[in-house]
Amino acid sequence: MSRRILVLTFYYEPDLCAGSFRVTPLVRSLRDLAGPEVEIDVVTTMPNRYASYQKQPPPLEERPRPGLRVRRVALPVHRSGMRDQAVSFLFFARGVKKLVQKESYDVVFASSSRLMTAYLASRVASAKGARLYLDIRDIFVENMEDVVPHGLFRLIRPWFEILERAASRRADRINLISPAFLDYFSNYPRENLTTYTNGIDEDFIFPEDETPSPRAKGGPVTVLYAGNIGEGQGLHEVLPPLAERLGKRVRFQVIGDGGRRGQLATELARRRVRNVQWIAPVERKDLVAKYRNADVLFLHLNDYPAFRRLLPSKLFEYAATGKPIWAGLCGYSRKFAEEGLGHCAIFSSGDVDGAMAAFQSLRLENCPRTEFIEKYRRRTLDEALAQNILSLLGSSA
């Protein structure tokens, strides 16, 4: 008799975001490790992370691989605001309910950064009498405190805490994407918690002899940022003054989109900055080429309480390239970078003077991070996580 696993994820390939990059290869590992008697059903959305990136796969892929089905829920067009995100999730939840209504499952797995996908998975698991495995990529309640007006947050916090407790108590196991989340989940049985982090994809591991050394081509230093442009990243606060001060010495390339892109553009225009190049979100093969030709990779997180526990996936991606990293970080991510990466110039989040000093200390040369890459290869981490999920079926694969 076949056994069935439901995977719920708001993001999946070909969407361009950390959630998609985490779940897509994990599903491949699940499919590779599961026996032929295991069927995997993925329910996700049509690509929606960035309005500027439009790629429409079929809503139903019956058999992209044997024993794997991918079904996608269409969402309304949105611009990443909180209201838009809430409406999009309601569409997703309604679509999930319809698609799984007549299905049976043995295990429900969900990867969630905004809590609601985890809660939705807990409801589905309860309705189906299935075991539940949650992969937690962010602590939503703490995150909300930093982005929602204080008065409103006081009103809605108890409701979200109820949902968070309901989801975590229903879960048979919980994986935390950052070890710094462990104390937040201290009331959950420790033996049922794991900490399989994000990992490094093979695409970003550059052979040293095929990678141009920084400044080999002469001219200004090319500093590349790739990722979301939102409140959490705070680019609109640090990038304009940095670009203004560095002037012709540096050429910034910003690849991405997000809720603060307009504010960033407005501030750059106000300062009459001309050394920042905008690039819309690109597919991975094109992003790899951009990384390869950059001199320095830039990263910034705002110093919000929730982000002090965060371990951004971008750190793993950047580190794999061997390029110098210039980053404004706080909390656990700063400690992780300073102790484990090497060849980094770290400054305190939001500190423009500190960022300038860190830039001056950068060594503009490649530095392979061989030990780090071996420790955090995504394939190895995904196989371990997949085995842990499969064990809920009652036997290891």
Side-chain angles (χ1 to χ4, degrees):
M1 181 178 178
S2 66
R3 293 173 294 172
R4 305 191 69 215
I5 298 175
L6 171 64
V7 176
L8 288 181
T9 175
F10 203 79
Y11 300 114
Y12 195 75
E13 67 176 3
D15 227 337
L16 302 175
C17 62
S20 172
F21 301 152
R22 179 165 181 80
V23 180
T24 302
L26 174 61
V27 168
R28 294 194 190 108
S29 291
L30 273 173
R31 184 59 275 157
D32 290 342
L33 294 172
E37 75 282 358
V38 177
E39 296 181 1
I40 300 170
D41 191 13
V42 177
V43 179
T44 185
T45 64
M46 298 294 282
N48 70 96
R49 184 63 179 90
Y50 300 116
S52 56
Y53 177 77
Q54 296 294 328
K55 187 168 184 177
Q56 298 300 306
L60 170 64
E61 294 181 61
E62 280 285 4
R63 287 290 180 265
R65 301 179 73 184
L68 172 63
R69 175 174 62 173
V70 180
R71 294 182 288 173
R72 297 181 173 89
V73 177
L75 304 180
V77 176
H78 65 88
R79 300 296 304 185
S80 298
M82 287 188 61
R83 181 183 177 279
D84 287 351
Q85 290 177 23
V87 171
S88 294
F89 181 79
L90 290 175
F91 272 77
F92 178 53
R94 186 175 66 181
V96 168
K97 182 179 179 180
K98 180 179 179 181
L99 289 174
V100 307
Q101 188 172 18
K102 297 180 180 180
E103 306 281 358
S104 61
Y105 300 103
D106 299 284
V107 173
V108 175
F109 170 85
S111 186
S112 181
S113 67
R114 298 189 183 115
L115 175 62
M116 298 309 297
T117 301
Y119 179 69
L120 175 63
S122 72
R123 294 294 301 270
V124 172
S126 293
K128 303 297 179 182
R131 305 189 76 179
L132 176 64
Y133 198 123
L134 297 180
D135 179 52
I136 302 299
R137 305 198 312 273
D138 207 346
I139 297 177
F140 184 74
V141 174
E142 285 192 346
N143 205 350
M144 288 282 287
E145 187 173 8
D146 297 321
V147 298
V148 174
H150 184 66
L152 176 59
F153 179 74
R154 289 181 62 188
L155 291 175
I156 63 177
R157 177 172 184 159
W159 185 66
F160 281 113
E161 287 179 336
I162 290 171
L163 298 184
E164 184 178 72
R165 285 195 298 270
S168 60
R169 288 174 179 173
R170 176 61 181 79
D172 295 277
R173 291 182 195 163
I174 298 177
N175 181 67
L176 307 175
I177 206 166
S178 169
F181 292 173
L182 280 168
D183 64 332
Y184 186 87
F185 285 85
S186 59
N187 292 326
Y188 190 83
R190 181 63 183 87
E191 63 272 17
N192 291 333
L193 289 173
T194 55
T195 53
Y196 298 110
T197 66
N198 276 306
I200 296 168
D201 293 308
E202 301 297 318
D203 294 345
F204 297 105
I205 303 173
F206 297 163
E208 187 176 1
D209 59 351
E210 295 180 13
T211 304
S213 295
R215 304 306 311 281
K217 55 187 176 299
V221 176
T222 299
V223 176
L224 175 67
Y225 172 85
N228 191 43
I229 306 171
E231 178 64 27
Q233 291 72 37
L235 289 187
H236 56 289
E237 298 173 354
V238 298
L239 186 57
L242 283 176
E244 185 178 41
R245 289 196 196 186
L246 289 166
K248 294 181 179 180
R249 296 167 55 194
V250 168
R251 181 182 64 147
F252 285 94
Q253 292 183 331
V254 178
I255 303 176
D257 203 344
R260 293 292 185 178
R261 185 188 186 284
Q263 190 171 344
L264 175 57
T266 298
E267 184 61 17
L268 290 171
R270 187 185 71 81
R271 292 174 180 264
R272 298 183 180 180
V273 170
R274 297 289 183 267
N275 57 339
V276 177
Q277 177 188 8
W278 291 103
I279 302 173
V282 297
E283 295 187 14
R284 280 202 145 186
K285 65 180 188 302
D286 300 314
L287 181 60
V288 168
K290 295 292 185 183
Y291 282 172
R292 191 183 297 276
N293 290 307
D295 297 319
V296 176
L297 302 178
F298 184 78
L299 179 65
H300 185 266
L301 287 178
N302 264 334
D303 188 7
Y304 293 159
F307 293 165
R308 293 171 194 160
R309 303 180 192 266
L310 199 62
L311 186 54
S313 60
K314 193 60 64 177
L315 268 181
F316 296 88
E317 201 170 281
Y318 280 7
T321 68
K323 296 286 185 175
I325 297 172
W326 181 24
L329 299 171
C330 57
Y332 184 76
S333 61
R334 177 168 187 159
K335 179 182 178 183
F336 182 87
E338 290 177 336
E339 295 179 357
L341 296 189
H343 207 34
C344 296
I346 310 297
F347 61 94
S348 298
S349 302
D351 181 2
V352 176
D353 290 334
M356 290 293 295
F359 179 78
Q360 299 298 336
S361 72
L362 271 173
R363 291 182 292 114
L364 295 178
E365 59 188 32
N366 293 332
C367 180
R369 301 177 176 94
T370 306
E371 290 184 11
F372 182 85
I373 289 171
E374 289 305 312
K375 183 176 181 180
Y376 290 104
R377 283 184 186 270
R378 192 188 294 274
R379 182 186 304 154
T380 303
L381 294 170
D382 280 349
E383 287 177 357
L385 178 54
Q387 288 282 17
N388 203 244
I389 297 166
L390 290 168
S391 69
L392 288 183
L393 291 172
S395 62
S396 59

